[in-house]
Amino acid sequence: MLPALKQTFGYDTWREGQAEIIGAAMQQRDCFVLLPTGGGKSLCYQLPALHLPKVTLVVSPLMSLMKDQVDALKANGIAAEFINSSLSRDAVQEVFTQLYDGRLKLLYVAPERLLQPNFIARLQEVGVSLFAIDEAHCISQWGHDFRPDYMALAQLKQRFPDTPVMALTATADPGTQQDILQQLDLNNPLIYRGSFDRPNIRYTVQEKFRPLEQLLAYLKQQENNSGIIYCSSRRKVDELTAQLAERGFRVAAYHAGYDATQRDQVQDAFKRDDISIIVATVAFGMGVNKPNIRFVVHFELPRTIEAYYQETGRAGRDGVAAEALLLFDPADIARMKRWLEAEDNPQRAEVAWQRFQSMAAFAEAQTCRRLVLLNYFGEARQQPCGNCDICLNPPQQFDGTQTAQQALSCVYRVGQNYGLHHVIEVLRGSQNHKIQELGHDKLSTWGLGKQLSHDYWLSIFRQLIHFGLLQQDITQHSVLRLLPAARPVLRGEHPLQLAVPRLQASSKTPAKLGQQKHDKVLFARLRTLRKAIAERDDVPPFVVFSDATLIDMCHKLPTDNAAMLAVSGVGFTKLSRYGKDFMTEIGDYLADSRNPLLE
């Protein structure tokens, strides 16, 4: 399979987990795949599809995502198609003809289409080698983007008992992961949980003081890079788009208030690099398979860490350095609470509030941002990343072992059955009615921390959660639970450094992200060539080559076929289609750069 990887997709080595997952798929095993955005999930079913006898059917939630993936597959010489409502009746019939003739290796459909009785009947007639369910968190009631149509995919195992299913997601906490496995009824699956880490993304949080000025200063650093700015309301999207357009930015707005044609035009212009910035509500993003997004800005606090992780993960999918900036106003917390109080379903409102509190804790954190994210998703780490605002501008540290022991002991003494604020009240010696009624004023930890404020303890507990010593169980009203890493701290076997709580946030501007070291002039010329070829072939530029591939060309300077094939992302099909043009451009550039008249 490794030679096939290079020949078709142009890569010499596997990414994390790909070899194991692809091996299981070739053995016709069910698989659950959790890999970060940009981690190479699609290749886990696309490469096996080329070697399996029948079609691989891919369930995808959005039409634009299907088209982008099919365009990219065709650019690599792979027989792939999609069926959705954007196609004419004749076009759909042509896809069915290819399916019946055995000419298709991959077919993309939405869950609503897949589960239509006549479509199921057609699939049963021709046979399916593999079902790949993308964005599988949509199937779970605990998932941040739950979709009822996805729940019906539980029928697949009943209709196709001998066909393996591969469920793939980038954003699922432990409760969501378990729910996906149960809903799909996977049979002895390979479960691959990769790292959630996206080391090429720098995470930065700024407290809002003059948000428009902060944003403008930030965008001026970006030098026409592609980026997304998320806002919480349509009104703010339109207002901010107008303000940026007045200042000369190539920008467009996107939200559900525009009709489908307008939204498609904006998305298409962004994918083709005709505009550089999209200002959008959360309605935008899942369907954008654009690898060269260099920054994502959240103009307000997202509702969940899952949403934040997924949205920021749209930056740097090509592995090149990228940034995620969050502008945080603590008043967002009160606004969200008022909004959720109007929710009709109290249970859903409670879960939403618990998730939002975790997001607010991320914004207020004084520990490494990446640690907060990774430990939230159950990936226990204690080593700071060195590539976030906290690591680059660290808060003052102190020996927090005793403070942590007091906090962890109090969680234990109340039976690991109460939430954050109750445990803090016990520590601070509160004599409120609930504490007296439960007898918690008789515990040995009652009043141990009365000299410290509620907000101080809140910061301490958030740090212990972020370090993976405590967990808030969202399936049980966010009660605090001790995790295995807490035991050596409680026993005094593991000293713990904590941040002195910053009860007032810093408003420093983040340092400019270091750029990739490559020839910027040649890179610009290759980008111009790529854009021209993309317009000729009527595809987005990244379908021709990614930024990462262009950067590798700048390093390797290929001028013959063998050297071009050594570039990451160049396989045989792309060599034959585009290799000559790019080698000529590189050769011309090298000749120009040696011309003494240009010195």
Side-chain angles (χ1 to χ4, degrees), residues 4 8 27 38 40 44 51 66 75 85 114 246 269 297 386 402 405 442 485 507 518 540 564 587:
T8 306
Q27 294 165 12
C44 292
H51 301 272
M66 296 180 201
S85 58
L114 169 59
E246 284 172 10
V297 176
Q402 183 178 357
Q405 288 171 335
K442 306 295 191 297
S507 60
H518 58 269
M564 182 59 88

Side-chain angles (χ1 to χ4, degrees), residues 13 175 254 258 312-313 424 441 462-463 480 552:
T13 57
Y254 186 107
Y258 294 110
T312 57
I424 290 174
D441 55 337
R462 283 172 174 162
Q463 290 182 62
L480 291 172
D552 204 29

Side-chain angles (χ1 to χ4, degrees), residues 256-403:
Y258 294 110
D259 64 39
T261 301
Q262 290 172 297
R263 294 198 305 269
D264 289 346
Q265 287 172 347
V266 168
Q267 186 162 302
D268 195 51
F270 184 57
K271 287 189 293 190
R272 293 173 184 269
D273 292 340
D274 294 332
I275 58 174
S276 57
I277 299 171
I278 292 278
V279 183
T281 60
V282 295
F284 177 80
M286 184 186 286
V288 177
N289 189 30
K290 180 177 167 69
N292 65 330
I293 296 170
R294 297 270 70 84
F295 66 91
V296 171
V297 176
H298 283 88
F299 204 70
E300 287 104 3
L301 197 62
R303 294 183 184 181
T304 68
I305 284 186
E306 288 91 344
Y308 174 78
Y309 177 81
Q310 188 176 57
E311 287 152 15
T312 57
R314 289 166 188 147
R317 293 180 59 166
D318 51 11
V320 180
E323 291 185 334
L325 172 66
L326 167 61
L327 296 175
F328 170 55
D329 181 351
D332 290 343
I333 299 173
R335 279 195 291 270
M336 176 57 73
K337 188 168 187 177
R338 286 196 300 272
W339 184 82
L340 287 172
E341 284 170 352
E343 170 66 45
D344 292 336
N345 185 328
Q347 185 180 9
R348 295 290 295 178
E350 183 182 358
V351 171
W353 174 240
Q354 291 165 9
R355 289 188 185 279
F356 181 74
Q357 285 182 304
S358 295
M359 185 65 234
F362 169 88
E364 296 172 335
Q366 296 192 56
T367 45
C368 167
R369 305 285 180 199
R370 202 174 310 273
L371 287 183
V372 179
L373 289 175
L374 296 179
N375 283 300
Y376 176 84
F377 287 113
E379 187 175 334
R381 288 199 195 180
Q382 284 80 43
Q383 187 63 39
C385 73
N387 191 28
C388 70
D389 59 324
I390 295 292
C391 289
L392 296 168
N393 180 27
Q396 184 182 347
Q397 301 284 311
F398 75 105
D399 183 353
T401 307
Q402 183 178 357
T403 306

Side-chain angles (χ1 to χ4, degrees), residues 35 95 240 247 257-258 263 266 315 388 472 482 491 527:
L35 284 173
V95 174
L240 194 56
R247 288 161 174 83
Y258 294 110
R263 294 198 305 269
V266 168
C388 70
Q472 287 180 291
L482 294 168
R491 290 177 174 172
R527 280 186 65 173

Side-chain angles (χ1 to χ4, degrees), residues 46-66:
Q46 289 173 351
L47 190 58
L50 304 183
H51 301 272
L52 292 170
K54 299 170 185 174
V55 73
T56 290
L57 194 129
V58 185
V59 181
S60 184
L62 293 172
M63 290 193 294
S64 58
L65 187 60
M66 296 180 201

Side-chain angles (χ1 to χ4, degrees), residues 26 57 86 122 143 171 174 263 324 328 351 380 397 404 414 490 504:
M26 295 304 296
L57 194 129
S86 72
R122 287 175 184 262
T171 47
R263 294 198 305 269
F328 170 55
V351 171
Q397 301 284 311
V414 300
L490 280 167
Q504 292 190 342

